[in-house]
Amino acid sequence: MDFREKLISAKDRVKLPDVSRRQLLVGGAAAGGLLVAWTLWPRNYATTLVPGEAEADFGGWLTIGRDGVVTVAIPQLEMGQGVTTLLAQIAAVELGADWRQVGAEPVMPSGLFPNLPLAADWAPLWANFPSLADTPDAWLVDRFASAQAFNATAAGTSLAAYEMPLRIAAASARDMLVRAAAERWDVVPEECEVADGFVRHATGGALRFGELVDEARELDPPDPAPLRPQAAFEQPVLGEADAQTSFPRIDLPSKVDGSHLFAGDIRLPGMVFASIRHGPVGLPELFRFDADAVAGMRGLVGVVKSKRWLAAVAESWWIADQALSRMRAHFTGPGALEQAVLDTDLERASEQREELAERIVEVGDPDAMLENAAFVRRYEIAPAVHAPLETASATARFVDGRLELWMASQMPSLAREAAAKAIGISAEDVVLYPVAAGGSFDARLDKQHAIEIAQIAVEIGRPVQLTWSRVQDLQAVPPRAPATADMAAVTGADGQPLAWRARVTTPPFMREMGHRLFDNLVPEAARAESRGEADELAVAGGMPPYGISDVAVDHVPASIRLPVTRMRGGAEAMTAFFTECFIDELAAEAGRDPFLYRMALLGGAPRMAECLRRATRLGEWDGARSGSGQGVAMVRMGSDPQTAGHIACVAQAGMGGGGARVTRLSATVDIGRIVNLDIARQQIEGGLVFGLSLALGSSVRFENGHPVPRNMGALGLPRLADCPDIVVDFISSDAEPFDPGELGVAVAAPAIANALFAATGLRMRRLPLLSEGL
Amino acid sequence: MSRMTVNDRPVEFLMDDDTPLLWALRDAANLTGTKYGCGTGDCGSCMVHIDGEPLRSCLVTIGEAEGRFVTTIEGLSGDRSHPVQQALVAEQAIQCGFCTPGIVMAAAALINRNPGASEADIKAAVPNLCRCGVYPRLVSAIQRAGRVARRQERISAAPAPGISSEDAAREVPALAAPPEESGRPEPEDR
């Protein structure tokens, strides 16, 4: 469906409503419980907190039961990043609940839970006129995100999107509980306090939430909601990394005993299991297969073929997968991708960069200054696979024209719509039960498996579960885009950069992803549709945080024959590699300490400078003398320096018998106000490990359209024994909170590359490092 | 015919002998805590104990497991009480949780055998892949589990499943046990 035209008609634009004044809806959702929900202009959206017998309209942001249990709606996908705990904590703190009385419930997509900041960030991917939709409070953004039930989980937007709505809902609930208690005690509400799940009065009265809900639900919601002066906040204490957390993650007990259900763990009566084969890259269409090879095969339930895949369905996944192997599916198309072709495509685009380059950012007049005597370097990034441990999986049941779908999706409303369209029913007849993802790293933005499971379920007529094999997950999830950067600078008398240009040759991978996700195009069509287009999101973060008077960031849109996409860290993780390796080379050229060289350029970025200074202290910086094995890198993420996230990292690395070995990563982080310190620490640690995996492995080559290697073991992914000592410090700050999930990913690779230069004297300008040998 | 003991129960799988134990456990026994991550022995998500040894169930057929004692994550403690389970939760050494059952089984086999395991022992005994990056917490968590196993420390981080409302209310003042007649609340406001 193309919602773009619908959204932009002039008729609509004249009646701009005041969207900041949403109405609260209060009622009794669960028996005797208190429900706090929103109604949204222009229509009421079905709320989805408590899926009931017939998915009737009830639910909202949070409910409180007579037993005192507080249930918080989680409209974001839990992928391990801790969002379930984070959002529940925000509501609990605002409400004044005891953490042990708080539960969380993932909710189905609904217009009630729009992710406005992400819709604004990604406006170029869905809006005809992105300039009308570039801020979260733009009317067009609200209209789009609400109407499309756009509650996508990506790019670190969860807090920005959901903290305030949750706080308002919880503050409203608290206010009503207080008024109910005050009425009972015949005191003024202002004399009551709420903490630990009780409303208390100075005279000694104390009532549980559960005792008050029946009266509270009869009251009108407050307007405005009386927010507490301080949002949820944890103070980092230096050297106290091991301190007990006050808000332990609520998803861990079920994860430690195997009872946490992922999409492939759903079991339904009469359910059967499906495996699938897709064509190699460049041969997308099913050509032929040997159906006779599985005739009479024990346990086989059926074979389902589609234009683009072949699936077998059986009593166990193993039988289904064996059946597929026997049927030897062949695929056809324009031609299987070979590595040489991929390299040539990128090389050709890079050679034509003068003609193809589109200027994305320009400050001053760098081209004039760069005309001659520029210091130039080229960096490369190979395609990298996401390789989450859970492969694409989904479970479905199709009964009476209605599809139930269990899956982990970062874009559930679009997955639901795609599944509906694939089998010719309306999206309202698809119920998507959100289940947690076993990692994603943005692999689960895509939704092919939603379409496939829908078609298989209809064809087979029984509940069915689809699990992609590892090979299929490596092959059919588009990898992170390859890129080449031609960096140029002119330096002054003391070696500092006066002009800087980053010219990045990469496919317009964000636009391509947008066509797959928002327009439901197949990978080849999405690639064709975005071909040759400049893509500002594909070079995001290209603007260095340094004080340089003349700067340009160019995008050279490469046309390659490989479908590509985003990965955790985003374009910022790619541009950070270019920027931070290049600045390191400039420092070396100037014969300066790379830390002090950077500091001299950070006069206008005090938070970044402080972060960098403290990271070098934490990492016992020794000036990166030759042979030291120490390297430094820093990243500022976010377009507005006031609300940006900052990380600086000192890496210690060297060459060992088995190749590069990273022994220590010391990072200092400024993410503004920290909601949950230990989850933030997990995210930085995990980000650094993921960045390490991209620095030293994760890449694939293509042979005959197949990614090589075809297994997890040969991808060079770090294991426990390879994990460096990781030390993380947080800077105390009351700036706007910034999501910590992608910072570590971006900073690790350049820090490690710079450390290997200090260790070996060799500059490695290609990711993964050492992929071309020494 | 493949008969074995799974989580202390006798089991006969009516599947081909060459079926990997992983799929017999998941699809026939519905023991879905054992995860499929690769099928080639690379990731360790499918680790179970066979006669006490941590093995990748994707590489063992049910024919080979004939007559042996298999323990899966579901059967490790039944109530999350194994020291490794408690320590992983206490140290928050879990993110998405998909690799967790395999890591728990690998670490539990080590701690059961050698509760005083050194850092090097732990790194050698836990080859599992984790993409979220819990590695920085694993060594200290598993060493802590070792201390618990040696009765030098106690942890109660992960409560046992299935706590009754009455017990919860005794522990948490803000909670009240629901009256007898109400089960799960039904929606009334449609």
Side-chain angles (χ1 to χ4, degrees), chain A residues 600-645:
Chain A
L601 297 169
L602 290 175
R607 287 175 72 189
M608 191 70 257
E610 175 66 4
C611 217
L612 180 62
R613 196 180 60 76
R614 286 181 46 173
T616 52
R617 205 164 56 189
L618 186 68
E620 295 163 350
W621 180 251
D622 66 0
R625 291 184 317 273
S626 179
S628 70
Q630 280 199 347
V632 69
M634 49 166 249
V635 177
R636 185 175 73 190
M637 264 193 198
S639 45
D640 176 3
Q642 298 302 312
T643 58

Side-chain angles (χ1 to χ4, degrees), chain A residues 251-260 262, chain B residues 33 72-90 93-105 157-159 161:
Chain A
D251 52 345
L252 301 194
S254 66
K255 285 178 174 175
V256 87
D257 69 355
S259 61
H260 200 83
F262 297 91
Chain B
T72 70
I73 184 72
E74 290 89 349
L76 180 67
S77 64
D79 59 359
R80 304 171 184 149
S81 63
H82 193 281
V84 168
Q85 291 175 306
Q86 288 293 324
L88 288 193
V89 174
I94 301 169
Q95 291 191 30
C96 82
F98 199 83
C99 71
T100 304
I103 287 182
V104 169
M105 296 311 279

Side-chain angles (χ1 to χ4, degrees), chain B residues 20-46:
Chain B
L21 178 61
L22 167 65
W23 298 108
L25 293 172
R26 287 187 59 80
D27 294 353
N30 289 333
L31 293 167
T32 56
T34 305
K35 304 299 183 197
Y36 167 77
C38 68
T40 48
D42 290 315
C43 75
S45 302
C46 65

Side-chain angles (χ1 to χ4, degrees), chain A residues 233-245:
Chain A
F233 175 56
E234 289 194 309
Q235 181 81 31
V237 183
L238 270 179
E240 296 284 322
D242 295 335
Q244 275 298 324
T245 176

Side-chain angles (χ1 to χ4, degrees), chain A residues 281-487:
Chain A
V281 178
L283 302 177
E285 295 189 3
L286 184 62
F287 176 51
R288 62 180 155 80
F289 60 97
D290 183 1
D292 296 340
V294 295
M297 188 172 170
R298 196 165 82 117
L300 186 67
V301 173
V303 172
V304 184
K305 65 171 177 155
S306 170
K307 195 175 165 193
R308 300 173 58 87
W309 45 263
L310 179 68
V313 183
E315 287 169 8
S316 85
W317 185 87
W318 174 250
I319 297 171
D321 198 62
Q322 292 291 105
L324 283 173
S325 296
R326 286 195 205 172
M327 287 190 286
R328 292 193 310 273
H330 285 76
F331 291 83
T332 187
L337 182 70
E338 298 293 348
Q339 187 64 30
V341 172
L342 184 57
D343 292 341
T344 310
D345 285 348
L346 262 180
E347 185 60 37
R348 184 174 302 136
S350 179
E351 276 165 13
Q352 295 175 305
R353 59 186 181 274
E354 292 294 335
E355 306 95 87
L356 296 179
E358 299 253 12
R359 183 124 305 174
I360 304 295
V361 191
E362 183 173 76
V363 180
D365 186 8
D367 289 339
M369 298 180 66
L370 288 163
E371 240 166 57
N372 38 43
F375 181 84
V376 296
R377 290 291 182 269
R378 170 177 288 195
Y379 302 89
E380 290 173 70
I381 297 179
V385 291
H386 303 75
L389 269 187
E390 179 195 34
T391 59
S393 308
T395 303
R397 175 162 58 192
F398 183 71
V399 178
D400 297 335
R402 203 138 187 270
L403 185 75
E404 292 171 284
L405 192 53
W406 289 259
M407 70 179 289
S409 171
Q410 289 177 253
M411 288 219 181
S413 60
L414 298 173
R416 180 177 64 181
E417 210 164 278
K421 186 161 177 263
I423 56 173
I425 63 176
S426 95
E428 285 81 65
D429 287 325
V430 178
V431 181
L432 189 148
Y433 304 109
V435 287
S440 168
F441 320 114
D442 288 345
R444 302 288 101 88
L445 279 167
D446 271 282
K447 59 194 174 190
Q448 284 183 67
H449 54 304
I451 296 169
E452 294 163 357
I453 186 76
Q455 292 174 330
I456 295 168
V458 167
E459 190 95 356
I460 291 294
R462 290 171 68 172
V464 61
Q465 178 165 92
L466 171 66
T467 304
W468 285 13
S469 69
R470 173 53 57 190
V471 171
Q472 292 299 309
D473 206 77
L474 289 175
Q475 177 183 309
V477 176
R480 176 167 92 162
T484 302
D486 292 284
M487 307 293 289

Side-chain angles (χ1 to χ4, degrees), chain A residues 88 109 138 162 212 226 231 249 344 384 408 476 517 547 554 580 600 688 725 727 731 733 768:
Chain A
Y162 299 108
L212 292 166
R249 289 181 61 142
T344 310
L517 301 180
D554 292 348
E580 285 300 296
L688 290 169
D725 289 334
V727 190
I731 291 176
S733 164

